[in-house]
């Protein structure tokens, strides 16, 4: 038993098989588990929350940090206990030891400077915007091709001092962007045997990227806040019935093999339905598991399911599953087997189509040196927010655009929010605009704010790298977007003054970057899945981040969770209310969030979880992290895509050729 616990701790906490945890660290973690009666997985969640609290995604788990984690867990328990004494009534049991807490109002660093290894506040006053940008940052050469942007607001831009002072009094000042530690440090590399792209001597003469939309963006222009319960129920029912047909074809089952899990019978059947919870607070656990059946197969009933007979399971609310089992009592469905759901086919192109993309990478069909391999494609991926909580300087966005300019990147893919409604200053409205934006103060709108604070970074980038392709994906937290629900239509590019090189697409979106089928959504589905999933026994996918990513691929959907996590349980924001926007799902249009026809070559899923790049079911899954955290700089991903190698047989026969992006793409997760 002890060996299995140690093995699970090493799987969750160690950086790799070659570097297991130190014995003293392992002993400290086991001590925390014994004291608080928690599992290794639950302890790992607490470590992630502790790392987020310190504003660090790469906090090393040494003996000092293990002891600090132990102290933090104990202090959180004591705070919870003190809070309960104020609400305890005579009917409540007295004297019980509180269990480990799942939620803390201090997730994102209310204690900076009060716990070990926490950076001390910077010495620069950012409220009045007078600090100067340092030169020679290790991630941005001093001779950047982008015009030097102000390190804080321009001299005529003033942010709201009252709001900033209140925020800093509550949360401590953020570290100055210029003083950020380990800028340019590579945190993780996928396929490090492949070479990284190098900046050319001069920009390419023509864009090397061709974008092709694989989703119909016109359908995203629906009217939000007009959801009808009848339409929503039909959409949810149809999804169950569609999966039943897929399972039937994949496992070659007769239609008579399927039945309703709610109907009493001594015969074994296959039941297809949606995982849900019957508990009052909606939190899924093994005792509250129920299967929701479609109206066609089972009149829309819900039946409790028993999973004691299967070796392992991994469920989340909203998951469509196919279960083989028996309902002998009429009160519950006993599961004997979980059937696999078929995956979408891998993306492929004709050899002539791939050859056309190769010609584009070389610079066109008229290039003389046609035999040499073209330079790899250089794509930079980032996710909002793009500025710290105590200012609207957008320094991280400017720094990322400088990276794209200096490396002559072929494409820059950014997901929202860009102008975040959960930003303290935007939420309060306590900030000023540049003088040139106030020619008519009474007519200034949120579009004016976007135009003068966000757009300049893209204008400078395009002037330095004219052939770059910029792809923007909005978020439901974008103040500039009129579409308040997900799936979400793009916001108008011309209205906000973005350059022609910028393409604004929907959220979610499946789009081809040359031959690379790319699925992208700005919703933080991974964090919510981690919060809601319930696992037990021997897992098919023991690695957390790979398991969460696989849920999206198996369910063929960018947001398969239903219902989404309660906003009260999401990480707190810096606003006065502190409650984030949440998922904002429009159930009537959830079908627009499905992955269509083929598996994406690349799946971009920004999340508050640690950034990563993994290959899951032949899909390159990337969480670039956030470009800016609430009080510190964040991370981004640099993708180097080497051209596909076609054999002579493939060229002659003209067969469909799988893209196999995961074999020829290198991903670097880099600190900004």
């Amino acid at each position: 038993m002890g060996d299995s616990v140690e093995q699970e701790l090493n799987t969750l906490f160690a950086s790799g098989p070659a570097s297991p945890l130190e014995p003293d660290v392992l002993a400290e973690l086991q001590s925390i588990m014994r004291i608080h009666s928690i599992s290794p997985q639950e302890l790992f969640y607490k470590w992630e929350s502790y790392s987020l609290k310190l504003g660090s995604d790469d906090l090393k788990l040494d003996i000092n940090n293990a002891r600090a984690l132990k102290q933090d867990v104990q202090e959180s328990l004591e705070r919870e206990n003190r809070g309960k004494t104020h609400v305890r009534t005579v009917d409540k049991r007295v004297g019980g030891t509180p269990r480990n807490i799942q939620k803390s109002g201090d997730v994102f660093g209310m204690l900076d400077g009060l716990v070990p290894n926490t950076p001390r506040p910077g010495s620069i006053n950012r409220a009045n915007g007078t600090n100067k940008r340092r030169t020679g940052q290790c991630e941005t050469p001093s001779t950047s091709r982008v015009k030097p942007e102000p390190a804080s607001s321009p001299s005529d831009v003033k942010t709201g001092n009252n709001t900033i002072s209140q925020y800093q009094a509550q949360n401590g000042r953020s570290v100055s962007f210029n003083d950020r530690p380990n800028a340019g440090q590579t945190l993780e590399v996928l396929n490090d045997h492949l070479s990284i792209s190098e900046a050319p001597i001069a920009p390419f003469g023509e864009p090397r990227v061709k974008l092709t939309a694989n989703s119909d963006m016109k359908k995203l222009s629906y009217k939000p806040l007009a959801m009808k319960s009848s339409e929503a129920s039909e959409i949810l029912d149809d999804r169950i019935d569609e999966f039943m047909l897929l399972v039937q074809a994949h496992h070659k089952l007769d239609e008579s093999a399927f039945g309703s899990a709610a109907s009493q019978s001594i015969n074994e059947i296959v039941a297809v339905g949606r995982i849900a919870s019957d508990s009052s607070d909606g939190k899924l656990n093994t005792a509250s598991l129920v299967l929701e059946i479609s109206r066609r197969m089972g009149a829309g009933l819900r039946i409790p399911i028993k999973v004691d007979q299967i070796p392992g399971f991994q469920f989340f609310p909203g998951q469509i599953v196919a279960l083989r089992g028996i309902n002998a009592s009429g009160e519950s469905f006993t599961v004997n087997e979980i059937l696999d759901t078929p995956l979408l086919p891998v993306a492929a192109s004709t050899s002539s189509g791939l050859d056309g993309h190769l010609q584009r990478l070389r610079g066109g069909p008229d290039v003389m040196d046609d035999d040499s391999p073209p330079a790899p494609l250089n794509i930079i991926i980032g996710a909002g927010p793009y500025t710290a909580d105590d200012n609207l300087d957008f320094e991280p966005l400017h720094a990322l655009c400088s990276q794209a300019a200096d490396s002559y990147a072929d494409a820059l893919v950014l997901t929202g929010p860009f102008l975040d409604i959960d930003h303290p200053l935007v939420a309060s409205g306590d900030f000023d605009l540049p003088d040139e934006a106030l020619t008519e103060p009474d007519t200034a709108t949120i579009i004016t704010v976007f135009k003068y604070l966000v757009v300049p970074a893209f204008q400078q980038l395009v002037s330095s790298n004219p052939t770059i392709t910029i792809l923007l994906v909005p978020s439901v937290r974008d103040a500039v977007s009129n579409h308040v629900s997900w799936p979400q239509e793009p916001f108008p590019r011309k209205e906000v003054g973005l350059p022609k090189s910028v393409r604004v697409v929907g959220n979610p979106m499946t789009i081809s970057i040359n031959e690379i089928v790319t699925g992208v959504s700005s919703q933080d589905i991974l964090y919510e899945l981690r919060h809601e999933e319930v696992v037990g026994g021997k897992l098919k996918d023991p690695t957390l981040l790979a398991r969460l990513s696989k849920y999206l691929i198996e369910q063929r959907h960018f947001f398969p969770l239903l219902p989404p996590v309660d906003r009260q349980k999401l990480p707190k924001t810096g606003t006065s209310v502190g409650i984030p926007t949440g998922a904002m799902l429009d159930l009537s249009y959830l079908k627009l969030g499905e992955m269509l026809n083929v598996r994406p070559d690349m799946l971009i899923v920004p999340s508050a979880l640690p950034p990563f790049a993994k290959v899951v079911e032949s899909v390159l899954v990337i969480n670039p992290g956030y470009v800016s955290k609430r009080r510190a700089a964040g991370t981004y991903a640099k993708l180097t895509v080497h051209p596909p190698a076609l054999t002579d047989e493939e060229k002659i026969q003209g067969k469909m050729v799988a893209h196999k992006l995961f074999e020829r793409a290198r991903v670097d997760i880099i600190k900004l």
Side-chain angles (χ1 to χ4, degrees):
M1 180 65 180
D3 292 340
S4 63
V5 172
E6 290 184 8
Q7 183 179 0
E8 188 172 359
L9 287 173
N10 275 299
T11 301
L12 292 169
F13 289 92
S15 56
S19 54
L21 295 174
E22 297 291 336
D24 53 350
V25 175
L26 201 58
E28 198 69 39
L29 295 179
Q30 290 174 322
S31 173
I32 300 174
M33 291 169 54
R34 285 194 302 271
I35 293 173
H36 300 285
S37 302
I38 59 178
S39 65
Q41 185 73 63
E42 197 169 348
L43 180 59
F44 179 67
Y45 290 162
K46 291 184 178 296
W47 168 249
E48 284 185 326
S49 296
Y50 178 70
S51 300
L52 290 172
K53 180 190 299 182
L54 298 184
S56 174
D57 291 331
D58 58 341
L59 192 63
K60 183 180 179 182
L61 183 57
D62 53 23
I63 185 59
N64 292 329
N65 284 330
R67 289 170 180 166
L69 172 65
K70 186 176 184 180
Q71 181 68 21
D72 181 72
V73 173
Q74 182 63 35
E75 289 175 353
S76 299
L77 188 63
E78 292 173 357
R79 283 196 304 271
E80 180 76 3
N81 196 19
R82 287 196 300 269
K84 286 183 178 180
T85 60
H86 297 293
V87 297
R88 194 173 282 161
T89 66
V90 293
D91 296 328
K92 293 189 177 180
R93 179 175 61 89
V94 180
T97 303
R99 307 299 290 176
N100 56 293
I101 53 176
Q102 298 294 333
K103 167 182 165 185
S104 169
D106 190 44
V107 174
F108 275 95
M110 300 299 187
L111 301 178
D112 272 6
L114 301 181
V115 292
N117 298 320
T118 304
R120 290 290 176 180
S123 59
I124 297 178
N125 180 7
R126 300 174 57 83
N128 56 18
T130 57
N131 54 320
K132 301 295 183 182
R133 168 174 287 276
R134 286 186 181 179
T135 57
Q137 290 291 339
C138 60
E139 89 292 356
T140 305
S142 58
T143 56
S144 173
R145 297 183 180 92
V146 174
K147 296 178 182 179
E149 74 282 351
S152 60
S153 300
S155 57
D156 54 353
V157 179
K158 300 176 182 179
T159 51
N161 293 340
N162 292 336
T163 303
I164 290 178
S165 60
Q166 293 171 6
Y167 171 80
Q168 291 175 346
Q170 296 173 358
N171 304 291
R173 292 182 182 175
S174 56
V175 177
S176 168
F177 184 76
N178 291 328
D179 294 333
R180 64 195 188 277
N182 304 320
Q185 177 187 6
T186 300
L187 303 179
E188 181 180 336
V189 180
L190 178 69
N191 290 338
D192 57 357
H193 63 282
L194 298 175
S195 61
I196 195 169
S197 62
E198 297 182 0
I201 300 175
F204 296 98
E206 295 181 358
R208 300 203 307 157
V209 166
K210 179 183 179 182
L211 299 179
T212 305
N214 299 331
S215 302
D216 189 355
M217 284 196 292
K218 293 181 180 179
K219 292 182 179 179
L220 294 173
S221 300
Y222 63 88
K223 183 180 179 181
L225 302 178
M227 180 172 57
K228 297 179 180 178
S229 58
S230 58
E231 294 176 354
S233 63
E234 289 176 4
I235 292 295
L236 298 178
D237 261 9
D238 289 346
R239 182 163 167 79
I240 296 176
D241 294 337
E242 289 169 4
F243 264 77
M244 190 185 74
L245 296 176
L246 293 173
V247 170
Q248 181 180 355
H250 179 69
H251 293 278
K252 297 180 173 60
L253 299 173
D254 191 79
E255 190 172 353
S256 61
F258 294 87
S260 170
S263 300
Q264 183 177 2
S265 173
I266 59 173
N267 298 320
E268 188 177 66
I269 63 165
V270 175
V272 179
R274 177 179 290 104
I275 294 293
S277 172
D278 70 347
S279 61
S280 58
D281 63 353
K283 179 64 178 175
L284 195 67
N285 55 64
T286 53
S288 66
L289 279 171
V290 297
L291 186 70
E292 179 183 303
I293 312 162
S294 69
R295 284 177 290 187
R296 186 172 76 88
M297 291 300 298
L301 296 174
R302 288 185 172 188
I303 185 73
I305 58 176
K306 305 298 181 184
V307 292
D308 304 331
Q309 305 298 321
I310 53 178
F313 59 89
Q314 46 197 51
F315 294 137
F316 63 88
Q319 181 180 14
I320 309 297
V321 294
L323 308 176
R324 192 191 301 273
I326 300 175
N327 182 358
S329 65
E331 297 179 355
S332 64
F333 185 76
T334 301
V335 181
N336 298 325
E337 182 186 1
I338 302 175
L339 301 183
D340 293 331
T341 53
L343 303 178
L344 286 166
V346 296
S349 299
T350 62
S351 57
S352 59
L354 290 177
D355 189 61
H357 294 307
L358 286 174
Q359 294 292 343
R360 185 177 298 104
L361 292 179
R362 289 191 177 96
D366 300 330
V367 176
M368 297 294 293
D369 191 7
D370 194 47
D371 296 329
S372 62
L377 203 63
N378 178 11
I379 301 174
I380 292 178
I381 303 170
Y386 295 96
T387 189
D389 268 12
D390 63 348
N391 68 81
L392 290 175
D393 303 334
F394 289 92
E395 293 170 292
L397 178 61
H398 282 278
L400 188 63
C401 289
S402 294
Q403 286 290 325
D406 295 333
S407 61
Y408 287 124
D410 295 296
L412 176 65
V413 181
L414 301 179
T415 67
F418 299 96
L419 194 60
D420 190 1
I421 58 177
D422 287 339
H423 191 285
L425 298 179
V426 176
S428 67
D430 190 10
F431 61 90
D432 295 329
L433 286 171
D435 291 339
E436 58 267 23
L438 300 176
T439 53
E440 297 183 16
D442 295 337
T443 62
T445 64
I446 200 69
I447 291 179
T448 310
V449 179
F450 187 91
K451 185 180 298 184
Y452 284 91
L453 296 185
V454 180
V455 173
F458 299 117
Q459 292 174 333
Q460 294 169 4
L461 170 58
V462 171
S463 65
S464 303
N465 185 1
T467 59
I468 191 172
T469 300
I470 303 173
L471 193 66
L472 303 186
V473 182
S475 164
V476 292
R477 288 163 49 188
D478 267 308
V480 76
S481 175
N482 294 326
H483 203 99
V484 297
S485 58
W486 189 95
Q488 180 184 16
E489 70 174 350
F491 55 81
R493 178 185 63 83
K494 292 182 179 179
E495 189 175 346
V496 296
L498 287 166
K500 292 183 179 180
S501 301
V502 177
R503 291 280 300 275
V504 185
V505 297
N507 173 32
M509 188 68 187
T510 302
I511 191 167
S512 291
I513 304 175
N514 288 350
E515 82 280 4
I516 306 168
V517 180
T518 303
V520 57
S521 172
S522 61
Q523 294 280 71
D524 189 355
I525 179 60
L526 298 185
Y527 183 93
E528 297 200 25
L529 283 173
R530 191 205 72 170
H531 187 280
E532 292 296 315
E533 74 163 345
V534 57
V535 297
K538 185 178 180 181
L539 302 180
K540 290 171 54 180
D541 306 292
T543 306
L544 174 67
L545 297 177
R547 182 171 71 248
L548 299 179
S549 304
K550 190 175 179 180
Y551 287 148
L552 308 184
I553 300 170
E554 288 181 335
Q555 295 293 299
R556 307 181 176 197
H557 205 281
F558 288 98
F559 202 98
L561 181 67
L562 188 73
V565 176
D566 185 355
R567 296 195 302 158
Q568 303 275 358
K569 299 178 182 179
L570 294 174
K572 301 299 181 185
T573 67
T575 61
S576 58
V577 178
I579 301 175
T581 301
M584 304 294 290
L585 298 186
D586 194 320
L587 298 183
S588 300
Y589 293 91
L590 277 187
K591 193 169 182 64
L592 298 177
E594 293 181 351
M595 301 176 188
L596 302 176
N597 303 326
V598 297
R599 250 178 288 170
D601 294 311
M602 177 169 59
L603 190 59
I604 301 174
V605 281
S607 174
L609 297 181
F612 67 87
K614 293 184 179 297
V615 178
V616 182
E617 297 291 350
S618 302
V619 178
L620 179 58
V621 184
I622 301 176
N623 168 23
Y626 296 153
V627 170
S628 177
K629 301 176 186 178
R630 286 179 55 187
R631 292 186 311 282
T635 57
Y636 67 96
K638 182 174 183 179
L639 180 68
T640 303
V641 183
H642 291 261
L646 298 177
T647 63
D648 293 336
E649 182 181 357
E650 290 171 339
K651 293 179 181 178
I652 295 173
Q653 295 182 358
K655 293 182 177 179
M656 298 294 289
V657 181
H659 297 161
K660 295 183 179 180
L661 177 70
F662 59 92
E663 293 182 352
R664 54 189 178 90
R666 170 184 172 130
V667 183
D668 294 75
I669 304 294
I670 304 172
K671 268 197 167 186
L672 188 61

